[in-house]
Amino acid sequence: LEDAKNYLNSAITLDNTFVTAYAEYALACQRLGFFDEAESSLNKGEKYAEKSNDNQGLSGIYNGFYTLYSSWGKYAKAHDYIKKALTIQITLQNNLMETRLRLNYANLLNHLEEPTLSLEQNAQANRLLVELEEDRLLGISHAVMTNTYFVLGDYSESVKNGILSLGLFRKIEMSSYEGKILVVIADSLSKMGDFDRMDSYIQKAE
């Protein structure tokens, strides 16, 4: 990550109007824990995107703000920016990017304890996914719904979506996501009193 951060900083030095580089640099800073530096980079990227009327770049910057503020625990700010990013993306008619943003929005709404609204965003994302055939995004969609139904107390639906998500992540070898889903499945099974199945999923998560 440090190498990527340095590379992106060099790219910005060569072309200080390279909007995407500001977003990627901010992401590298965020993952390294430099939140203030990430925020500063996004502010600069926003300025250049607006100046050049780069709507795709501006949507990416707003999504970068969403990612940063979500990691920072500033969910109200994250909410403002994901809505801005999505509003732009809808006008650009880029179904792939719109789907990603709707899934991000759905995930954020879970943090804001708005599970019903989260399901609405997920449903809209899934309608787009029918045409895209994107296993990764479909897996993320089911993962978000796993958490949403857990918040709603519908543990059976949580388990159902968790198992679907788990199968997709294993299919495309997204092992980093598997552990998180296994834990939520186990938690839901615990709430249902199905302790034998709960134990089996806990063992898989270890």
Side-chain angles (χ1 to χ4, degrees):
L1 278 177
E2 191 64 50
D3 288 342
K5 179 173 175 283
N6 292 335
Y7 173 79
L8 288 162
N9 188 45
S10 298
I12 291 169
T13 300
L14 290 171
D15 180 3
N16 67 0
T17 65
F18 187 10
V19 174
T20 301
Y22 285 104
E24 294 296 329
Y25 182 79
L27 183 60
C29 289
Q30 173 214 311
R31 289 178 174 172
L32 288 165
F34 304 134
F35 288 176
D36 289 324
E37 191 174 352
E39 187 176 43
S40 175
S41 179
L42 290 168
N43 283 326
K44 292 174 185 176
E46 180 181 16
K47 179 181 71 174
Y48 287 116
E50 289 177 338
K51 187 175 181 179
S52 61
N53 294 315
D54 180 0
N55 286 334
Q56 184 63 67
L58 187 58
S59 179
I61 290 291
Y62 288 155
N63 189 48
F65 275 118
Y66 150 78
T67 303
L68 171 64
Y69 290 133
S70 292
S71 297
W72 213 337
K74 298 182 177 183
Y75 297 123
K77 280 191 171 184
H79 182 265
D80 291 341
Y81 279 103
I82 194 64
K83 286 184 69 176
K84 287 182 179 182
L86 183 56
T87 298
I88 292 173
Q89 204 57 243
I90 290 170
T91 66
L92 297 175
Q93 298 183 323
N94 183 329
N95 286 353
L96 180 60
M97 289 304 300
E98 181 182 340
T99 300
R100 289 175 176 169
L101 292 176
R102 287 195 184 281
L103 292 175
N104 285 347
Y105 193 11
N107 188 47
L108 176 64
L109 288 166
N110 282 335
H111 286 291
L112 292 170
E113 298 182 356
E114 294 282 1
T116 302
L117 294 177
S118 176
L119 288 175
E120 289 176 7
Q121 287 300 319
N122 233 311
Q124 293 185 64
N126 284 342
R127 282 195 286 272
L128 295 169
L129 281 171
V130 170
E131 301 175 3
L132 293 173
E133 298 182 358
E134 269 272 346
D135 284 342
R136 177 181 175 275
L137 291 180
L138 191 56
I140 291 172
S141 173
H142 284 297
V144 173
M145 285 193 288
T146 301
N147 289 317
T148 305
Y149 282 116
F150 186 87
V151 172
L152 285 168
D154 191 340
Y155 304 118
S156 178
E157 279 297 315
S158 179
V159 170
K160 175 184 172 182
N161 280 279
I163 291 171
L164 289 169
S165 176
L166 187 62
L168 287 162
F169 289 150
R170 285 177 171 169
K171 176 183 175 183
I172 56 178
E173 299 181 351
M174 288 180 65
S175 56
S176 61
Y177 284 71
E178 286 183 31
K180 298 174 184 177
I181 291 298
L182 286 166
V183 169
V184 181
I185 293 172
D187 282 346
S188 291
L189 290 168
S190 172
K191 297 288 187 181
M192 295 166 65
D194 193 343
F195 299 112
D196 288 338
R197 289 177 69 200
M198 179 197 75
D199 287 339
S200 71
Y201 279 98
I202 289 175
Q203 290 172 16
K204 291 174 186 177
E206 291 176 346

PDB file of all heavy atoms in Angstrom, residues 19-54:
ATOM      1  N   VAL A  19      -8.068  13.290 -11.966  1.00  0.00           N
ATOM      2  CA  VAL A  19      -9.071  13.126 -10.915  1.00  0.00           C
ATOM      3  C   VAL A  19      -9.055  11.729 -10.308  1.00  0.00           C
ATOM      4  O   VAL A  19      -9.105  11.559  -9.079  1.00  0.00           O
ATOM      5  CB  VAL A  19     -10.483  13.448 -11.463  1.00  0.00           C
ATOM      6  CG1 VAL A  19     -11.556  13.131 -10.426  1.00  0.00           C
ATOM      7  CG2 VAL A  19     -10.554  14.916 -11.865  1.00  0.00           C
ATOM      8  N   THR A  20      -8.974  10.693 -11.140  1.00  0.00           N
ATOM      9  CA  THR A  20      -8.995   9.313 -10.646  1.00  0.00           C
ATOM     10  C   THR A  20      -7.833   9.048  -9.692  1.00  0.00           C
ATOM     11  O   THR A  20      -7.980   8.319  -8.712  1.00  0.00           O
ATOM     12  CB  THR A  20      -8.939   8.316 -11.819  1.00  0.00           C
ATOM     13  OG1 THR A  20     -10.060   8.548 -12.676  1.00  0.00           O
ATOM     14  CG2 THR A  20      -8.995   6.882 -11.313  1.00  0.00           C
ATOM     15  N   ALA A  21      -6.681   9.660  -9.978  1.00  0.00           N
ATOM     16  CA  ALA A  21      -5.509   9.459  -9.115  1.00  0.00           C
ATOM     17  C   ALA A  21      -5.756  10.000  -7.712  1.00  0.00           C
ATOM     18  O   ALA A  21      -5.307   9.406  -6.720  1.00  0.00           O
ATOM     19  CB  ALA A  21      -4.283  10.126  -9.727  1.00  0.00           C
ATOM     20  N   TYR A  22      -6.491  11.102  -7.607  1.00  0.00           N
ATOM     21  CA  TYR A  22      -6.818  11.651  -6.285  1.00  0.00           C
ATOM     22  C   TYR A  22      -7.684  10.672  -5.492  1.00  0.00           C
ATOM     23  O   TYR A  22      -7.488  10.479  -4.292  1.00  0.00           O
ATOM     24  CB  TYR A  22      -7.538  12.996  -6.420  1.00  0.00           C
ATOM     25  CG  TYR A  22      -6.651  14.148  -6.805  1.00  0.00           C
ATOM     26  CD1 TYR A  22      -6.658  14.654  -8.100  1.00  0.00           C
ATOM     27  CD2 TYR A  22      -5.797  14.742  -5.877  1.00  0.00           C
ATOM     28  CE1 TYR A  22      -5.838  15.710  -8.466  1.00  0.00           C
ATOM     29  CE2 TYR A  22      -4.983  15.803  -6.234  1.00  0.00           C
ATOM     30  CZ  TYR A  22      -5.001  16.281  -7.526  1.00  0.00           C
ATOM     31  OH  TYR A  22      -4.179  17.335  -7.872  1.00  0.00           O
ATOM     32  N   ALA A  23      -8.641  10.048  -6.181  1.00  0.00           N
ATOM     33  CA  ALA A  23      -9.522   9.081  -5.516  1.00  0.00           C
ATOM     34  C   ALA A  23      -8.747   7.848  -5.066  1.00  0.00           C
ATOM     35  O   ALA A  23      -8.925   7.360  -3.941  1.00  0.00           O
ATOM     36  CB  ALA A  23     -10.663   8.681  -6.450  1.00  0.00           C
ATOM     37  N   GLU A  24      -7.867   7.356  -5.940  1.00  0.00           N
ATOM     38  CA  GLU A  24      -7.085   6.159  -5.609  1.00  0.00           C
ATOM     39  C   GLU A  24      -6.054   6.461  -4.518  1.00  0.00           C
ATOM     40  O   GLU A  24      -5.797   5.632  -3.643  1.00  0.00           O
ATOM     41  CB  GLU A  24      -6.387   5.624  -6.862  1.00  0.00           C
ATOM     42  CG  GLU A  24      -7.327   5.093  -7.928  1.00  0.00           C
ATOM     43  CD  GLU A  24      -8.108   3.883  -7.459  1.00  0.00           C
ATOM     44  OE1 GLU A  24      -7.599   3.110  -6.640  1.00  0.00           O
ATOM     45  OE2 GLU A  24      -9.271   3.724  -7.903  1.00  0.00           O
ATOM     46  N   TYR A  25      -5.468   7.646  -4.573  1.00  0.00           N
ATOM     47  CA  TYR A  25      -4.514   8.053  -3.539  1.00  0.00           C
ATOM     48  C   TYR A  25      -5.213   8.143  -2.182  1.00  0.00           C
ATOM     49  O   TYR A  25      -4.685   7.695  -1.157  1.00  0.00           O
ATOM     50  CB  TYR A  25      -3.900   9.402  -3.901  1.00  0.00           C
ATOM     51  CG  TYR A  25      -2.863   9.906  -2.917  1.00  0.00           C
ATOM     52  CD1 TYR A  25      -1.567   9.411  -2.941  1.00  0.00           C
ATOM     53  CD2 TYR A  25      -3.187  10.879  -1.970  1.00  0.00           C
ATOM     54  CE1 TYR A  25      -0.606   9.861  -2.038  1.00  0.00           C
ATOM     55  CE2 TYR A  25      -2.238  11.343  -1.068  1.00  0.00           C
ATOM     56  CZ  TYR A  25      -0.956  10.832  -1.111  1.00  0.00           C
ATOM     57  OH  TYR A  25      -0.012  11.272  -0.210  1.00  0.00           O
ATOM     58  N   ALA A  26      -6.427   8.688  -2.190  1.00  0.00           N
ATOM     59  CA  ALA A  26      -7.204   8.791  -0.949  1.00  0.00           C
ATOM     60  C   ALA A  26      -7.504   7.408  -0.380  1.00  0.00           C
ATOM     61  O   ALA A  26      -7.435   7.197   0.836  1.00  0.00           O
ATOM     62  CB  ALA A  26      -8.507   9.545  -1.210  1.00  0.00           C
ATOM     63  N   LEU A  27      -7.831   6.456  -1.259  1.00  0.00           N
ATOM     64  CA  LEU A  27      -8.128   5.099  -0.799  1.00  0.00           C
ATOM     65  C   LEU A  27      -6.900   4.458  -0.159  1.00  0.00           C
ATOM     66  O   LEU A  27      -7.002   3.804   0.886  1.00  0.00           O
ATOM     67  CB  LEU A  27      -8.622   4.250  -1.972  1.00  0.00           C
ATOM     68  CG  LEU A  27      -9.039   2.813  -1.643  1.00  0.00           C
ATOM     69  CD1 LEU A  27     -10.177   2.784  -0.630  1.00  0.00           C
ATOM     70  CD2 LEU A  27      -9.446   2.081  -2.925  1.00  0.00           C
ATOM     71  N   ALA A  28      -5.735   4.661  -0.782  1.00  0.00           N
ATOM     72  CA  ALA A  28      -4.495   4.122  -0.217  1.00  0.00           C
ATOM     73  C   ALA A  28      -4.213   4.751   1.153  1.00  0.00           C
ATOM     74  O   ALA A  28      -3.843   4.056   2.107  1.00  0.00           O
ATOM     75  CB  ALA A  28      -3.329   4.374  -1.170  1.00  0.00           C
ATOM     76  N   CYS A  29      -4.401   6.068   1.249  1.00  0.00           N
ATOM     77  CA  CYS A  29      -4.190   6.759   2.529  1.00  0.00           C
ATOM     78  C   CYS A  29      -5.150   6.241   3.595  1.00  0.00           C
ATOM     79  O   CYS A  29      -4.762   5.998   4.745  1.00  0.00           O
ATOM     80  CB  CYS A  29      -4.392   8.262   2.354  1.00  0.00           C
ATOM     81  SG  CYS A  29      -3.099   9.093   1.417  1.00  0.00           S
ATOM     82  N   GLN A  30      -6.417   6.068   3.201  1.00  0.00           N
ATOM     83  CA  GLN A  30      -7.424   5.584   4.149  1.00  0.00           C
ATOM     84  C   GLN A  30      -7.047   4.214   4.701  1.00  0.00           C
ATOM     85  O   GLN A  30      -7.119   3.966   5.896  1.00  0.00           O
ATOM     86  CB  GLN A  30      -8.776   5.515   3.458  1.00  0.00           C
ATOM     87  CG  GLN A  30      -9.884   4.863   4.288  1.00  0.00           C
ATOM     88  CD  GLN A  30     -10.846   4.083   3.423  1.00  0.00           C
ATOM     89  OE1 GLN A  30     -11.316   4.610   2.422  1.00  0.00           O
ATOM     90  NE2 GLN A  30     -11.130   2.852   3.787  1.00  0.00           N
ATOM     91  N   ARG A  31      -6.628   3.316   3.814  1.00  0.00           N
ATOM     92  CA  ARG A  31      -6.278   1.961   4.234  1.00  0.00           C
ATOM     93  C   ARG A  31      -5.031   1.930   5.106  1.00  0.00           C
ATOM     94  O   ARG A  31      -4.852   1.014   5.900  1.00  0.00           O
ATOM     95  CB  ARG A  31      -6.102   1.064   3.010  1.00  0.00           C
ATOM     96  CG  ARG A  31      -7.434   0.762   2.318  1.00  0.00           C
ATOM     97  CD  ARG A  31      -7.265  -0.085   1.081  1.00  0.00           C
ATOM     98  NE  ARG A  31      -8.560  -0.468   0.529  1.00  0.00           N
ATOM     99  CZ  ARG A  31      -8.717  -1.085  -0.640  1.00  0.00           C
ATOM    100  NH1 ARG A  31      -7.652  -1.367  -1.388  1.00  0.00           N
ATOM    101  NH2 ARG A  31      -9.924  -1.415  -1.054  1.00  0.00           N
ATOM    102  N   LEU A  32      -4.201   2.959   4.957  1.00  0.00           N
ATOM    103  CA  LEU A  32      -3.013   3.075   5.813  1.00  0.00           C
ATOM    104  C   LEU A  32      -3.315   3.827   7.104  1.00  0.00           C
ATOM    105  O   LEU A  32      -2.450   3.964   7.957  1.00  0.00           O
ATOM    106  CB  LEU A  32      -1.891   3.780   5.048  1.00  0.00           C
ATOM    107  CG  LEU A  32      -1.230   2.971   3.927  1.00  0.00           C
ATOM    108  CD1 LEU A  32      -0.399   3.878   3.021  1.00  0.00           C
ATOM    109  CD2 LEU A  32      -0.362   1.850   4.502  1.00  0.00           C
ATOM    110  N   GLY A  33      -4.548   4.315   7.223  1.00  0.00           N
ATOM    111  CA  GLY A  33      -4.958   5.014   8.446  1.00  0.00           C
ATOM    112  C   GLY A  33      -4.742   6.508   8.430  1.00  0.00           C
ATOM    113  O   GLY A  33      -4.950   7.180   9.444  1.00  0.00           O
ATOM    114  N   PHE A  34      -4.371   7.058   7.254  1.00  0.00           N
ATOM    115  CA  PHE A  34      -4.150   8.498   7.146  1.00  0.00           C
ATOM    116  C   PHE A  34      -5.439   9.180   6.660  1.00  0.00           C
ATOM    117  O   PHE A  34      -5.541   9.626   5.516  1.00  0.00           O
ATOM    118  CB  PHE A  34      -2.991   8.790   6.191  1.00  0.00           C
ATOM    119  CG  PHE A  34      -1.704   8.106   6.567  1.00  0.00           C
ATOM    120  CD1 PHE A  34      -0.938   7.446   5.612  1.00  0.00           C
ATOM    121  CD2 PHE A  34      -1.254   8.108   7.880  1.00  0.00           C
ATOM    122  CE1 PHE A  34       0.246   6.816   5.937  1.00  0.00           C
ATOM    123  CE2 PHE A  34      -0.059   7.478   8.231  1.00  0.00           C
ATOM    124  CZ  PHE A  34       0.691   6.825   7.264  1.00  0.00           C
ATOM    125  N   PHE A  35      -6.419   9.255   7.523  1.00  0.00           N
ATOM    126  CA  PHE A  35      -7.745   9.730   7.127  1.00  0.00           C
ATOM    127  C   PHE A  35      -7.748  11.199   6.717  1.00  0.00           C
ATOM    128  O   PHE A  35      -8.416  11.588   5.753  1.00  0.00           O
ATOM    129  CB  PHE A  35      -8.754   9.499   8.255  1.00  0.00           C
ATOM    130  CG  PHE A  35      -9.119   8.057   8.454  1.00  0.00           C
ATOM    131  CD1 PHE A  35      -9.950   7.682   9.497  1.00  0.00           C
ATOM    132  CD2 PHE A  35      -8.647   7.070   7.605  1.00  0.00           C
ATOM    133  CE1 PHE A  35     -10.303   6.352   9.688  1.00  0.00           C
ATOM    134  CE2 PHE A  35      -8.997   5.742   7.775  1.00  0.00           C
ATOM    135  CZ  PHE A  35      -9.828   5.380   8.820  1.00  0.00           C
ATOM    136  N   ASP A  36      -7.017  12.041   7.445  1.00  0.00           N
ATOM    137  CA  ASP A  36      -6.984  13.471   7.112  1.00  0.00           C
ATOM    138  C   ASP A  36      -6.345  13.692   5.739  1.00  0.00           C
ATOM    139  O   ASP A  36      -6.809  14.523   4.953  1.00  0.00           O
ATOM    140  CB  ASP A  36      -6.212  14.249   8.174  1.00  0.00           C
ATOM    141  CG  ASP A  36      -6.976  14.340   9.491  1.00  0.00           C
ATOM    142  OD1 ASP A  36      -8.218  14.456   9.437  1.00  0.00           O
ATOM    143  OD2 ASP A  36      -6.354  14.284  10.561  1.00  0.00           O
ATOM    144  N   GLU A  37      -5.290  12.939   5.457  1.00  0.00           N
ATOM    145  CA  GLU A  37      -4.619  13.056   4.162  1.00  0.00           C
ATOM    146  C   GLU A  37      -5.542  12.573   3.044  1.00  0.00           C
ATOM    147  O   GLU A  37      -5.573  13.161   1.950  1.00  0.00           O
ATOM    148  CB  GLU A  37      -3.320  12.247   4.171  1.00  0.00           C
ATOM    149  CG  GLU A  37      -2.424  12.502   2.981  1.00  0.00           C
ATOM    150  CD  GLU A  37      -1.078  11.797   3.090  1.00  0.00           C
ATOM    151  OE1 GLU A  37      -0.788  11.225   4.166  1.00  0.00           O
ATOM    152  OE2 GLU A  37      -0.336  11.812   2.098  1.00  0.00           O
ATOM    153  N   ALA A  38      -6.298  11.510   3.320  1.00  0.00           N
ATOM    154  CA  ALA A  38      -7.261  11.005   2.333  1.00  0.00           C
ATOM    155  C   ALA A  38      -8.327  12.055   2.040  1.00  0.00           C
ATOM    156  O   ALA A  38      -8.683  12.301   0.878  1.00  0.00           O
ATOM    157  CB  ALA A  38      -7.913   9.723   2.862  1.00  0.00           C
ATOM    158  N   GLU A  39      -8.821  12.690   3.082  1.00  0.00           N
ATOM    159  CA  GLU A  39      -9.847  13.715   2.921  1.00  0.00           C
ATOM    160  C   GLU A  39      -9.323  14.885   2.094  1.00  0.00           C
ATOM    161  O   GLU A  39     -10.027  15.413   1.221  1.00  0.00           O
ATOM    162  CB  GLU A  39     -10.307  14.197   4.292  1.00  0.00           C
ATOM    163  CG  GLU A  39     -11.488  15.153   4.253  1.00  0.00           C
ATOM    164  CD  GLU A  39     -11.947  15.523   5.658  1.00  0.00           C
ATOM    165  OE1 GLU A  39     -11.076  15.781   6.525  1.00  0.00           O
ATOM    166  OE2 GLU A  39     -13.167  15.550   5.887  1.00  0.00           O
ATOM    167  N   SER A  40      -8.090  15.272   2.353  1.00  0.00           N
ATOM    168  CA  SER A  40      -7.481  16.376   1.614  1.00  0.00           C
ATOM    169  C   SER A  40      -7.365  16.040   0.128  1.00  0.00           C
ATOM    170  O   SER A  40      -7.651  16.880  -0.739  1.00  0.00           O
ATOM    171  CB  SER A  40      -6.097  16.683   2.185  1.00  0.00           C
ATOM    172  OG  SER A  40      -5.434  17.666   1.416  1.00  0.00           O
ATOM    173  N   SER A  41      -6.976  14.811  -0.178  1.00  0.00           N
ATOM    174  CA  SER A  41      -6.845  14.378  -1.568  1.00  0.00           C
ATOM    175  C   SER A  41      -8.192  14.405  -2.277  1.00  0.00           C
ATOM    176  O   SER A  41      -8.304  14.853  -3.430  1.00  0.00           O
ATOM    177  CB  SER A  41      -6.252  12.971  -1.625  1.00  0.00           C
ATOM    178  OG  SER A  41      -6.134  12.520  -2.959  1.00  0.00           O
ATOM    179  N   LEU A  42      -9.230  13.941  -1.600  1.00  0.00           N
ATOM    180  CA  LEU A  42     -10.571  13.940  -2.197  1.00  0.00           C
ATOM    181  C   LEU A  42     -11.081  15.365  -2.431  1.00  0.00           C
ATOM    182  O   LEU A  42     -11.734  15.631  -3.445  1.00  0.00           O
ATOM    183  CB  LEU A  42     -11.534  13.159  -1.305  1.00  0.00           C
ATOM    184  CG  LEU A  42     -11.298  11.652  -1.268  1.00  0.00           C
ATOM    185  CD1 LEU A  42     -12.098  11.007  -0.140  1.00  0.00           C
ATOM    186  CD2 LEU A  42     -11.655  11.008  -2.606  1.00  0.00           C
ATOM    187  N   ASN A  43     -10.780  16.264  -1.525  1.00  0.00           N
ATOM    188  CA  ASN A  43     -11.180  17.667  -1.704  1.00  0.00           C
ATOM    189  C   ASN A  43     -10.535  18.264  -2.954  1.00  0.00           C
ATOM    190  O   ASN A  43     -11.179  18.994  -3.719  1.00  0.00           O
ATOM    191  CB  ASN A  43     -10.802  18.497  -0.476  1.00  0.00           C
ATOM    192  CG  ASN A  43     -11.756  18.288   0.688  1.00  0.00           C
ATOM    193  OD1 ASN A  43     -12.952  18.082   0.491  1.00  0.00           O
ATOM    194  ND2 ASN A  43     -11.241  18.335   1.901  1.00  0.00           N
ATOM    195  N   LYS A  44      -9.266  17.921  -3.171  1.00  0.00           N
ATOM    196  CA  LYS A  44      -8.572  18.412  -4.376  1.00  0.00           C
ATOM    197  C   LYS A  44      -9.167  17.788  -5.632  1.00  0.00           C
ATOM    198  O   LYS A  44      -9.390  18.471  -6.633  1.00  0.00           O
ATOM    199  CB  LYS A  44      -7.078  18.095  -4.279  1.00  0.00           C
ATOM    200  CG  LYS A  44      -6.342  18.873  -3.210  1.00  0.00           C
ATOM    201  CD  LYS A  44      -4.895  18.398  -3.084  1.00  0.00           C
ATOM    202  CE  LYS A  44      -4.179  19.098  -1.931  1.00  0.00           C
ATOM    203  NZ  LYS A  44      -2.805  18.568  -1.731  1.00  0.00           N
ATOM    204  N   GLY A  45      -9.428  16.476  -5.564  1.00  0.00           N
ATOM    205  CA  GLY A  45     -10.015  15.801  -6.713  1.00  0.00           C
ATOM    206  C   GLY A  45     -11.382  16.354  -7.067  1.00  0.00           C
ATOM    207  O   GLY A  45     -11.727  16.504  -8.251  1.00  0.00           O
ATOM    208  N   GLU A  46     -12.168  16.676  -6.042  1.00  0.00           N
ATOM    209  CA  GLU A  46     -13.496  17.253  -6.260  1.00  0.00           C
ATOM    210  C   GLU A  46     -13.379  18.595  -7.007  1.00  0.00           C
ATOM    211  O   GLU A  46     -14.138  18.867  -7.943  1.00  0.00           O
ATOM    212  CB  GLU A  46     -14.209  17.450  -4.927  1.00  0.00           C
ATOM    213  CG  GLU A  46     -15.604  18.037  -5.056  1.00  0.00           C
ATOM    214  CD  GLU A  46     -16.274  18.241  -3.702  1.00  0.00           C
ATOM    215  OE1 GLU A  46     -15.560  18.221  -2.668  1.00  0.00           O
ATOM    216  OE2 GLU A  46     -17.503  18.421  -3.677  1.00  0.00           O
ATOM    217  N   LYS A  47     -12.415  19.391  -6.601  1.00  0.00           N
ATOM    218  CA  LYS A  47     -12.229  20.713  -7.226  1.00  0.00           C
ATOM    219  C   LYS A  47     -11.911  20.564  -8.713  1.00  0.00           C
ATOM    220  O   LYS A  47     -12.521  21.251  -9.560  1.00  0.00           O
ATOM    221  CB  LYS A  47     -11.094  21.458  -6.514  1.00  0.00           C
ATOM    222  CG  LYS A  47     -10.790  22.833  -7.106  1.00  0.00           C
ATOM    223  CD  LYS A  47      -9.645  23.502  -6.376  1.00  0.00           C
ATOM    224  CE  LYS A  47      -8.306  22.829  -6.689  1.00  0.00           C
ATOM    225  NZ  LYS A  47      -7.154  23.556  -6.098  1.00  0.00           N
ATOM    226  N   TYR A  48     -10.987  19.663  -9.052  1.00  0.00           N
ATOM    227  CA  TYR A  48     -10.602  19.501 -10.455  1.00  0.00           C
ATOM    228  C   TYR A  48     -11.707  18.840 -11.277  1.00  0.00           C
ATOM    229  O   TYR A  48     -11.885  19.166 -12.456  1.00  0.00           O
ATOM    230  CB  TYR A  48      -9.305  18.700 -10.558  1.00  0.00           C
ATOM    231  CG  TYR A  48      -8.088  19.488 -10.127  1.00  0.00           C
ATOM    232  CD1 TYR A  48      -7.337  19.103  -9.023  1.00  0.00           C
ATOM    233  CD2 TYR A  48      -7.698  20.634 -10.826  1.00  0.00           C
ATOM    234  CE1 TYR A  48      -6.224  19.835  -8.612  1.00  0.00           C
ATOM    235  CE2 TYR A  48      -6.587  21.377 -10.431  1.00  0.00           C
ATOM    236  CZ  TYR A  48      -5.857  20.976  -9.328  1.00  0.00           C
ATOM    237  OH  TYR A  48      -4.764  21.702  -8.930  1.00  0.00           O
ATOM    238  N   ALA A  49     -12.451  17.909 -10.672  1.00  0.00           N
ATOM    239  CA  ALA A  49     -13.553  17.261 -11.393  1.00  0.00           C
ATOM    240  C   ALA A  49     -14.642  18.276 -11.737  1.00  0.00           C
ATOM    241  O   ALA A  49     -15.194  18.268 -12.844  1.00  0.00           O
ATOM    242  CB  ALA A  49     -14.132  16.118 -10.552  1.00  0.00           C
ATOM    243  N   GLU A  50     -14.957  19.144 -10.781  1.00  0.00           N
ATOM    244  CA  GLU A  50     -15.970  20.180 -11.030  1.00  0.00           C
ATOM    245  C   GLU A  50     -15.489  21.166 -12.088  1.00  0.00           C
ATOM    246  O   GLU A  50     -16.258  21.588 -12.962  1.00  0.00           O
ATOM    247  CB  GLU A  50     -16.292  20.907  -9.724  1.00  0.00           C
ATOM    248  CG  GLU A  50     -17.078  20.065  -8.721  1.00  0.00           C
ATOM    249  CD  GLU A  50     -17.311  20.782  -7.405  1.00  0.00           C
ATOM    250  OE1 GLU A  50     -16.552  21.733  -7.086  1.00  0.00           O
ATOM    251  OE2 GLU A  50     -18.245  20.383  -6.692  1.00  0.00           O
ATOM    252  N   LYS A  51     -14.222  21.524 -12.021  1.00  0.00           N
ATOM    253  CA  LYS A  51     -13.663  22.510 -12.950  1.00  0.00           C
ATOM    254  C   LYS A  51     -13.683  21.997 -14.388  1.00  0.00           C
ATOM    255  O   LYS A  51     -13.916  22.761 -15.329  1.00  0.00           O
ATOM    256  CB  LYS A  51     -12.221  22.847 -12.531  1.00  0.00           C
ATOM    257  CG  LYS A  51     -11.591  23.988 -13.313  1.00  0.00           C
ATOM    258  CD  LYS A  51     -10.220  24.330 -12.752  1.00  0.00           C
ATOM    259  CE  LYS A  51      -9.585  25.485 -13.512  1.00  0.00           C
ATOM    260  NZ  LYS A  51      -8.245  25.847 -12.952  1.00  0.00           N
ATOM    261  N   SER A  52     -13.460  20.685 -14.548  1.00  0.00           N
ATOM    262  CA  SER A  52     -13.394  20.105 -15.893  1.00  0.00           C
ATOM    263  C   SER A  52     -14.709  19.452 -16.326  1.00  0.00           C
ATOM    264  O   SER A  52     -14.765  18.817 -17.380  1.00  0.00           O
ATOM    265  CB  SER A  52     -12.271  19.067 -15.951  1.00  0.00           C
ATOM    266  OG  SER A  52     -12.515  18.009 -15.032  1.00  0.00           O
ATOM    267  N   ASN A  53     -15.750  19.596 -15.506  1.00  0.00           N
ATOM    268  CA  ASN A  53     -17.052  18.966 -15.789  1.00  0.00           C
ATOM    269  C   ASN A  53     -16.927  17.458 -16.000  1.00  0.00           C
ATOM    270  O   ASN A  53     -17.592  16.879 -16.874  1.00  0.00           O
ATOM    271  CB  ASN A  53     -17.710  19.616 -17.020  1.00  0.00           C
ATOM    272  CG  ASN A  53     -18.092  21.066 -16.780  1.00  0.00           C
ATOM    273  OD1 ASN A  53     -18.651  21.394 -15.733  1.00  0.00           O
ATOM    274  ND2 ASN A  53     -17.773  21.931 -17.731  1.00  0.00           N
ATOM    275  N   ASP A  54     -16.067  16.839 -15.218  1.00  0.00           N
ATOM    276  CA  ASP A  54     -15.837  15.387 -15.285  1.00  0.00           C
ATOM    277  C   ASP A  54     -16.815  14.701 -14.327  1.00  0.00           C
ATOM    278  O   ASP A  54     -16.485  14.431 -13.168  1.00  0.00           O
ATOM    279  CB  ASP A  54     -14.382  15.084 -14.909  1.00  0.00           C
ATOM    280  CG  ASP A  54     -14.063  13.595 -14.950  1.00  0.00           C
ATOM    281  OD1 ASP A  54     -14.961  12.784 -15.271  1.00  0.00           O
ATOM    282  OD2 ASP A  54     -12.900  13.238 -14.633  1.00  0.00           O
TER     283      ASP A  54
END
